[in-house]
Amino acid sequence: MDLSYILNHLGEDRASYHGAVAPPLVQSSIFAFPSVADMRAGFRDEYAQHMYTRGNNPTVAMLRRKLAALEGAEDCLVFGSGAAAMAAGVIACVGQGDHVVCVARPYSWTRSLLQDFLPRFGVGASFVDGTDSAAFEAALTPRTRLIVLESPNSMTFEQQDLAAVAALARRHGIRTLCDNSHATPLNQSPIALGIDLVAHSATKYLNGHSDVVAGALCGEAALLRAVFKGPYMTLGAILSPHDAWLLLRGLRTLEIRMQRVAASTREVLAWLERQPRIRRVWSPQAADNPQLGLSERQLRGASGLVTIDLDAADVAAVERFCDGLERFLMTVSWGGYESLAFPVCAVFPPGAPLRPAAGLPLSLVRLSIGLEDPGILIADLEQALTRL
Ligand SMILES: *Cc1c(COP(=O)(O)O)cnc(C)c1O
C-alpha cells in the first residue's frame, strides 16, 4: 500500500456519506441497534462494533486504520495522549511481581510510569544504556516481561539496535514496546524489525499542528485486543472523535511536512555545526554522533529535532540567547508546523549550576525545526548567538 493511498484514501468509505471528500465527524457517544439480537452481538464484541464511543467510533476507526497501515501493524488503538498510549501498552504486558527493562533516558513520563507509578502495584523496572544491546540481556530477571525502547529519544537522541533487541527479547519470550514518536512511521518501522508494540505521541509530527494531544499504540490484533479489554476500556483514556478528525486532517500533509522538515534540518544542522559559540550539536545525523552508522542503517530520514550545547559563561547567558530568539517560540513539545526552542535551564530553579555533576548541562537548548524558510531560522539563531 503506497503512502499517498494511506494518507488520502484508506479507511474512507466516501460513497456511504454522500461522496463527501472530508471525513464525517461522528460526534455521538452511542450507536443504536435495530434489534435485541444486534445489540447482543454488540455486547459480544465491543472491539469490532459501534456501540459506545469509549470502545469504538467511526471517525476514530478511520484514524486507527491509517496509523496501523503507516506502522505496518495489524491494528492500532488511539488514546487521549501519548503518555496514555505508553501506559496502556506497558500495563497490558505486566502484572504484580513482574519486571520491565527500559532505556536509560526515556521520555520523562515514561520514566515516571516505570519508576514511581507502577512500583506501587508491585511492578519493578531497571534502566539500561540502550546504545549497548548486551545491556538489555544483562538486566533481565526471571520476571522480566517487557523491554521498553525509545529510539531515538527526544533530547539527546540515543538509539537502540531495534532488530538486535527484538531478537534477544524473542529468545527469552519477552515483549518489546518502542516509542517511535521521534522518527515517525515514515522514517522508522520497528514492527518490521521484530518489535511487538509501537507507541506514538501523535501530538507531535503525526498531527503536526500543535492543536491536539493524542497517542497511538500499534501491534498485532490479538495483543491489541488484550490492550482493549484491559487498560483501554478500563482506564478510558480515549481520543475524542473531534480530535481524531483533526488528526486525520493533520495526517494529509505528513509526508510533505516531513520532507520539508528533513531538508531544513539538514541546512540548519550544517550551519550549527560550524558555529564556534556552540560546543556541541546533538542529532541522529550529526557528524560526530557515535551512532551515525546506526542512524544510516535504521532511519530512512531525518526529523527536525536538534539539541545545541551553548558555549555560555553562565545560565544568564543561556537565558539571553533564548529570550533573544524572535522566530523560534519557546516552549515544551515539538513536531508542529512552527519552530520551537526548549531550554533545559527552564526546568531548574534560578541559581542552579550550568554544568551539574550528573544529568544534562543547563547550557542545552533543544530546537524543533518547523516549516519556515530555513534561512529565516538560521538568521534568527545567528542574531540570538550574538547575545550570548
Ligand atoms: C511528548 C512525548 C510523549 C508523550 O506524549 P503526550 O502526547 O504528550 O502525552 C511520549 N514520548 C515522547 C518521545 C514524547 O516526545
Side-chain angles (χ1 to χ4, degrees):
M1 212 180 313
D2 66 84
L3 184 56
S4 304
Y5 181 78
I6 296 171
L7 299 178
N8 296 345
H9 302 297
L10 179 70
E12 300 183 62
D13 181 15
R14 295 189 171 103
S16 71
Y17 40 86
H18 317 289
V21 170
L25 165 48
V26 182
Q27 188 72 44
S28 184
S29 60
I30 42 180
F31 299 85
F33 297 94
S35 69
V36 172
D38 285 309
M39 186 163 172
R40 194 174 286 128
F43 272 117
R44 255 200 314 274
D45 191 8
E46 241 189 299
Y47 186 65
Q49 304 275 339
H50 291 122
M51 179 153 76
Y52 189 49
T53 283
R54 176 152 43 79
N56 237 322
N57 172 282
T59 309
V60 176
M62 268 185 220
L63 175 63
R64 289 175 52 192
R65 283 200 63 187
K66 286 183 193 288
L67 294 179
L70 286 175
E71 279 297 355
E74 282 179 6
D75 203 353
C76 168
L77 285 168
V78 292
F79 295 83
S81 69
M86 284 297 292
V90 172
I91 289 169
C93 293
V94 296
Q96 195 177 34
D98 287 342
H99 174 254
V100 178
V101 176
C102 180
V103 288
R105 270 198 282 205
Y107 178 69
S108 52
W109 293 101
T110 300
R111 174 173 274 278
S112 177
L113 172 76
L114 294 171
Q115 180 177 282
D116 308 324
F117 192 88
L118 289 178
R120 290 170 48 204
F121 304 96
V123 177
S126 307
F127 296 86
V128 301
D129 175 3
T131 62
D132 171 14
S133 297
F136 290 97
E137 195 141 31
L140 299 183
T141 77
R143 294 301 301 267
T144 305
R145 296 282 178 272
L146 178 69
I147 297 177
V148 174
L149 307 169
E150 187 180 317
S151 188
N153 79 16
S154 60
M155 182 60 78
T156 43
F157 318 122
E158 290 88 8
Q159 296 176 77
Q160 299 93 56
D161 184 330
L162 297 181
V165 180
L168 96 81
R170 280 179 188 223
R171 277 202 304 281
H172 292 274
I174 294 168
R175 289 205 172 111
T176 46
L177 162 59
C178 181
D179 184 329
N180 200 29
S181 307
H182 179 149
T184 83
L186 303 197
N187 287 330
Q188 182 167 266
S189 302
I191 286 175
L193 299 174
I195 298 294
D196 296 309
L197 287 168
V198 173
H200 280 281
S201 170
T203 314
K204 314 291 165 51
Y205 288 122
L206 294 179
N207 183 57
H209 291 73
S210 302
D211 51 11
V212 172
V213 175
L217 188 66
C218 304
E220 280 183 4
L223 183 48
L224 284 198
R225 228 172 225 278
V227 176
F228 180 84
K229 283 197 160 175
Y232 184 84
M233 285 302 277
T234 312
L235 303 178
I238 62 161
L239 190 66
S240 74
H242 183 246
D243 283 346
W245 187 87
L246 282 169
L247 242 154
L248 286 166
R249 175 160 145 154
L251 278 182
R252 304 291 190 198
T253 55
L254 177 65
E255 183 181 23
I256 193 165
R257 283 188 285 110
M258 294 312 292
Q259 284 168 354
R260 168 79 169 185
V261 161
S264 298
T265 302
R266 202 177 313 119
E267 223 173 287
V268 174
L269 175 64
W271 183 84
L272 289 168
E273 287 182 324
R274 292 196 303 271
Q275 301 314 304
R277 300 306 308 273
I278 296 176
R279 292 163 57 115
R280 185 172 167 195
V281 185
W282 271 272
S283 143
Q285 284 77 30
D288 65 353
N289 185 324
Q291 292 188 299
L292 198 55
L294 185 57
S295 300
E296 279 161 8
R297 200 165 80 241
Q298 200 162 261
L299 295 170
R300 287 185 288 272
S303 301
L305 293 180
V306 178
T307 298
I308 53 178
D309 186 356
L310 294 168
D311 184 19
D314 47 28
V315 174
V318 179
E319 292 187 27
R320 281 198 303 278
F321 169 83
C322 293
D323 295 352
L325 288 168
E326 289 166 359
R327 305 301 284 260
F328 285 80
L329 300 175
M330 187 167 30
T331 185
V332 295
S333 193
W334 46 272
Y337 61 90
E338 73 294 2
S339 291
L340 302 176
F342 172 79
V344 166
C345 66
V347 179
F348 292 85
L354 184 69
R355 297 185 179 278
L360 296 176
L362 278 63
S363 47
L364 297 193
V365 179
R366 183 187 64 198
L367 305 174
S368 174
I369 304 302
L371 304 181
E372 303 91 335
D373 181 320
I376 289 173
L377 299 176
I378 289 170
D380 193 27
L381 292 165
E382 188 162 36
Q383 65 81 21
L385 275 177
T386 65
R387 300 169 193 243
L388 254 187

